[in-house]
Amino acid sequence: MTTSSSERGVGLGMPELPPPAYPDDVRARLETDAREIIARYPDSRSALLPLLHLVQSEDGYVTRTGMKFCADVLDLTTAEVTAVATFYSMYRRRPSGDYQVGVCTNTLCAVMGGDAIFETLQEHLGVGNGETTGDGKVTLEHIECNAACDYAPVVMVNWEFFDNQTPASATRLVDDLRAGAPVEPTRGARLCTFKETARILAGFPDERPGAVEEGGSAGHASLVGLRLAKGEAQPARVVHPRESAPQEEPVHEPSPTERLSSHDPVETSASDPAHPSGPTAEEGE
């Protein structure tokens, strides 16, 4: 008596069906945008990264249909496109929320509280790393360094900065995002959805009035080293643990070679009012 392959638990290795095509009107619109992107480069293959952002702005993630579109307009194989789309973490491979909430868990942010923030948000939202809330609003993930160590711990929403966070302030942040309440980043332009962000990353202008001007520049803590190098040292301030009451400490005038803490607090508004991050300033001021 013989047994079939299915009875033996052996897969037949059937090939995956081709992805569905975009509707004609969507494809025509994307082709117009794609031609504009490709024209920026002497070699059309160089347009692959922004084209992946383009299809991500359409679908919210990089679908098989989107990768097939990129392959068609660039005369590449789907394998070549897939190799790039799976290499970079900025391209999502499954449906994502309107707001990508990334908690930095790299070394400095982690020891300053990033790990606690991430664990708190996982429990509060009921999702794991890379997962999306049931309402489709928030996708939570831990991320590597975002070059904002002087404002650790940092949370990013669609790549906009929320500095000096705590578990409580991060929880308020995601609750506001899910409720549709206005949310202002600590630095940079106002928030837009992940699809809108992807289109901007594809190289198309941000058409929201005033959004470009809101981009700002480096913050106060980021420019401390520059000011010290220029001899513009300010009186040193003692930085205390976040939860402890400040104690009276002697203050002295540092020489230009002395190093101020990058967490030197200033009295400005920030994501967490209890732990302000400092004002923005143009580089070199």
Side-chain angles (χ1 to χ4, degrees), residues 162-174:
F162 291 80
D163 301 321
N164 292 328
Q165 291 291 294
T166 64
S169 67
T171 299
R172 290 195 301 270
L173 171 61
V174 296

Side-chain angles (χ1 to χ4, degrees), residues 195-220:
K195 287 184 177 182
E196 292 169 329
T197 301
R199 183 169 178 83
I200 294 170
L201 291 175
F204 293 97
D206 188 340
E207 298 179 351
R208 297 173 298 163
V212 175
E213 291 75 11
E214 293 171 358
S217 183
H220 172 79

Side-chain angles (χ1 to χ4, degrees), residues 19 29 34 41 47 97 104 116 118 146 168 218 248 261 283:
R29 173 165 47 79
Y41 300 93
C104 182
F118 186 67
N146 279 278
E248 290 296 328
S261 167
E283 184 173 352

Side-chain angles (χ1 to χ4, degrees), residues 160-198:
E160 298 294 350
F161 286 103
F162 291 80
D163 301 321
N164 292 328
Q165 291 291 294
T166 64
S169 67
T171 299
R172 290 195 301 270
L173 171 61
V174 296
D175 285 346
D176 286 344
L177 291 172
R178 298 183 72 183
V183 172
E184 293 293 332
T186 309
R187 295 175 282 140
R190 78 198 79 154
L191 284 182
C192 56
T193 66
F194 182 63
K195 287 184 177 182
E196 292 169 329
T197 301

Side-chain angles (χ1 to χ4, degrees), residues 110-124:
V111 300
M112 293 296 291
D115 284 343
I117 291 173
F118 186 67
E119 291 171 4
T120 297
L121 291 184
Q122 284 190 103
E123 181 177 353
H124 181 70

Side-chain angles (χ1 to χ4, degrees), residues 22 30 33-35 37-38 40-41 44-74 76-94 96 159 194-204:
Y22 280 121
L30 290 176
D33 289 339
R35 285 193 293 270
I37 293 172
I38 294 170
R40 303 171 190 160
Y41 300 93
S44 63
R45 187 188 186 101
S46 300
L48 178 54
L49 295 182
L51 280 177
L52 286 169
H53 282 300
L54 176 65
V55 296
Q56 187 160 249
S57 74
E58 181 67 31
D59 300 311
Y61 68 111
V62 177
T63 63
R64 292 175 59 233
T65 299
M67 288 191 284
K68 180 64 166 58
F69 171 82
C70 292
D72 289 346
V73 298
L74 295 176
L76 299 173
T77 66
T78 53
E80 289 175 306
V81 175
T82 302
V84 174
T86 57
F87 181 81
Y88 295 102
S89 60
M90 59 189 176
Y91 301 122
R92 312 303 183 193
R93 297 301 311 283
R94 56 184 177 180
S96 296
W159 308 118
F194 182 63
K195 287 184 177 182
E196 292 169 329
T197 301
R199 183 169 178 83
I200 294 170
L201 291 175
F204 293 97

Side-chain angles (χ1 to χ4, degrees), residues 200-276:
I200 294 170
L201 291 175
F204 293 97
D206 188 340
E207 298 179 351
R208 297 173 298 163
V212 175
E213 291 75 11
E214 293 171 358
S217 183
H220 172 79
S222 303
L223 297 176
V224 168
L226 175 63
R227 292 194 173 98
L228 284 172
K230 296 172 65 175
E232 300 176 1
Q234 299 175 354
R237 296 181 181 179
V238 177
V239 179
H240 301 276
R242 290 174 179 259
E243 303 303 328
S244 66
Q247 304 294 324
E248 290 296 328
E249 298 284 352
V251 176
H252 73 283
E253 291 288 341
S255 69
T257 59
E258 286 185 286
R259 184 176 183 181
L260 295 177
S261 167
S262 62
H263 290 277
D264 189 30
V266 291
E267 296 180 358
T268 60
S269 61
S271 300
D272 189 342
H275 306 107

